[in-house]
Amino acid sequence: MAEYVAPLKDMQFVLKHVVGLGEVNRLAGWEELTDDVVDAILEEAGKVASEVLSPLNASGDRTGAVFRDGKVTMPAGFRDAYWQWVKAGWGNVLAPPDFGGQGLPHLVATPVEEMWGSANLAFKLCPMLTQGAVEALDTVGSEALKRRFLPKMVAGEWTGTMNLTEPQAGSDLSLVRTRAVPQKDGSWRLFGQKIFITYGEHDYTDNIVHMVLARMEGAPEGVKGISLFLVPKVLVKEDGGLGARNDVKCASIEHKLGIHASPTAVLIYGEKDGAVGYLMGEPNRGLEYMFIMMNAARLSVGLEGVAIAERAYQRALAWSRERLQGKPAGSSGPKTAPIVQHPDVKRMLLTMKSLAEAMRALAYWVSAMLDRARRHPDDAERRRCQAVVDLLVPVVKGWSTETGIEVASLGIQVHGGMGFIEETGAAQHLRDARITTIYEGTTGIQANDLVGRKVGREAGRTALAVIAQVQATRAELGRSGNEHLTAIGERLASAVARLEETTQWIVSTYGTNPAAVASGAVYYLKLMGIVCGGWMMARAAQIAARDLEAGEGDAAFLRAKVLTARFYADHILPQSLALSAVAMGGAESVLAMDEALL
Ligand SMILES: Cc1cc2nc3c(=O)[nH]c(=O)nc-3n(C[C@H](O)[C@H](O)[C@H](O)COP(=O)(O)OP(=O)(O)OC[C@H]3O[C@@H](n4cnc5c(N)ncnc54)[C@H](O)[C@@H]3O)c2cc1C
């Protein structure tokens, strides 16, 4: 099939009309970022995604990154694509201007990042990790460390990694054992093993800057004894030039279900006299620092669900227009027709399309909130936006990635048997999507965070405020007099009532029976995702219906938007009934079962 094509119309519609690009652009420092400039950025990124990254997606999957003698060779074309991409300035869109970055709002970087993820998920991970390391260094690094490392990292000449996981420490980072020993010159020597490190070794650049969680000798047990260190693969001299090789080596890379072109490394620190590292920020605050970066990183991974859903949808749609089979129910046309005409195939395609659009709008809205939380002039508004971000980041991460997998699987179904055969490319999306619910915190961990830190502990304050916003939209839809908007409003009313009831149940149960809440936490996360996604679709439909009536804009696009939102309301929102019932009533059987009986 043709390469990925960025869904620019939908992206621009959501940015400008649904999530408030205009308001973000008015925030300090971004005033010159007019709608036209943003359009130009998106159009250019779309070209790079289609012409440079997408053509390498299937071949990168087939070849994979190769490990030999401690070195990793990237699949053919990846290194050139990386440099072409970096030289065009795509590596530093979010990076701080003081060190050569563009410092764009998250809201603008988000659709751009979605494009990289759709075009080539394995490629996208390297810049994502580098951006995380840049943010960590910019936020907590000393001025000297920033000066020595940031310019090259921002320029893409060196890449970055996040080293949290160890064989015995995955979801539970209190078990991190990597040791840090102080040196007379103020530096540290690190000893230990990290596993599953994305782009921990590759051949794009001369140096890789690892952000490593480790424990200082004598530090307290648990999460309060973990510190963050910067450990370069190659030591960097005072003048910024490269020195000797540091004592960190790649022992192997993993053979995986998907994202084959993304090297997942086992790194050994301190096989000889210890890997030289530099403390970031204060001792024992490493995990806290990681949490500062967590919102942006989890949003990025949530966006991978959106990206894969979009790509799987495009591929399935193209197939469904070409494949001829059978006569559609109720049709008086010829014996065989393109399968897109069968109501059930249309249902699958609409499921894929409506979910991709709902997830996109929600992810973009949360990105806009992140920008407002950082730059809004009003202190109270900054705090309100930050609370919304904190609440919804686990939802975007958990719901969008779980849904991305469902959508990729439906994409295979639309292809029939050929979907199961690798040549069509549909299978790669499902294999690639599978990791997204695991790394950067599993769905179970996101759900724990949502019901515990985000809803339970603040008595549901922010969740209920968001619910009130959904209810206000629902009331407007009821008064619209438009057939589709009225129907959407009715479904939304029922779904948001279930969300409110379940939220109240969590607030009243969390303190006395946290195990009951934890048993259904993932259902609650999905419920919140489905309702908030439905809210975004309802708002999009409102605006589209208004423009249609006024005779403004692209009529075909706007009509499709209203009907897609109607489909979402009819087919997806009713799932809220089941999710709510099981979130509140499913614990007994889980908790009654003795694990010995499993
Ligand atoms: C391809 C790939 C790339 C990765 N990249 C990186 C990277 O760049 N840097 C890095 O540091 N790590 C990376 N990881 C590691 C990744 O973040 C972990 O795999 C993930 O956090 C889960 O940890 P785990 O694998 O140890 O699973 P476990 O923690 O053992 O979890 C197993 C199961 O138990 C559940 N579970 C565990 N604890 C709880 C709990 N408290 N409540 C409810 N359920 C729970 C989980 O949800 C999961 O279903 C990567 C992993 C992979 C596979």
Side-chain angles (χ1 to χ4, degrees), residues 162 164-165 170-171 196-198 264 435 438-440 442 445 448:
M162 289 291 178
L164 289 69
T165 309
S171 301
F196 295 160
I197 305 309
T198 299
T264 308
I435 183 60
I438 297 171
Y439 57 23
E440 204 53 52
T442 63
I445 295 299
N448 283 351

Side-chain angles (χ1 to χ4, degrees), residues 90-97 101-107 109 113 131 134 296 371:
W90 294 112
N92 62 16
V93 290
L94 278 173
Q102 298 178 47
L104 291 183
H106 273 275
L107 185 55
E113 193 178 342
Q131 172 53 32
V134 164
D371 289 326

Side-chain angles (χ1 to χ4, degrees), residues 11-22 35-36 38-39:
M11 289 173 159
Q12 287 161 341
F13 178 81
V14 173
L15 287 177
K16 290 175 197 165
H17 303 300
V18 184
V19 305
L21 175 65
D35 284 5
D36 289 349
V38 174
D39 283 347

Side-chain angles (χ1 to χ4, degrees), residues 45-46 61 73 108 335 373 379-380 385 401 404 414 426 446 512 515 560 579 589:
D61 178 56
T73 308
V108 178
K335 260 199 200 134
D379 202 33
C385 293
T401 55
V414 170
Q446 305 302 322
T512 51
L579 288 167
S589 50

